Amino acid sequence: MAALSSKLRSVGFGTAGTGIAFWCPGCNEAHAIRTAGPGGEFNRARWDWDGNVDTPTISPSILVRANFAPEDGGPDICHSFVRAGQIEFLGDCTHPLKGQTVPLPDWPKDQT
């Protein structure tokens, strides 16, 4: 990953294209999306990004599901929009920021 700004990183998806990642304060981990594919019907970008590295807008919504063991609380869901540098967490999130809108945070210094 290479830094695009204090908020975004560029990521590669191997032969499937490239994208960006941002730090999610609700999950306390990175979420990566594909914004460019190598072409072809099944290899197109899945999200649109306005190119702004400081206050990005990404569409459509971003849905992340992580399946943890039942003793860890079962499946976790993070569903959000990123608009003008704000993360809008939707009502189906299973973390404490559910239903809140927060500024896109800077990438943590201890993460690469």
Side-chain angles (χ1 to χ4, degrees):
M1 278 190 268
L4 294 173
S5 71
S6 64
K7 304 195 181 294
L8 296 181
R9 300 292 183 264
S10 64
V11 294
F13 290 95
T15 60
T18 59
I20 56 173
F22 63 92
W23 194 261
C24 175
C27 298
N28 197 34
E29 67 180 24
H31 292 331
I33 58 162
R34 189 168 64 174
T35 58
E41 181 179 349
F42 298 105
N43 289 315
R44 294 186 302 237
R46 299 296 186 225
W47 286 269
D48 291 322
W49 166 46
D50 67 356
N52 190 316
V53 297
D54 295 313
T55 57
T57 295
I58 300 166
S59 62
S61 67
I62 301 159
L63 175 60
V64 177
R65 293 182 184 165
N67 293 308
F68 296 102
E71 62 271 13
D72 292 334
D76 283 337
I77 298 171
C78 182
H79 195 189
S80 64
F81 284 101
V82 176
R83 296 181 178 144
Q86 301 285 313
I87 305 174
E88 301 171 21
F89 291 106
L90 302 177
D92 57 344
C93 290
T94 56
H95 56 62
L97 294 179
K98 168 184 178 175
Q100 297 181 46
T101 299
V102 301
L104 189 66
D106 286 344
W107 199 271
K109 295 188 187 317
D110 63 341
Q111 300 293 319
T112 55

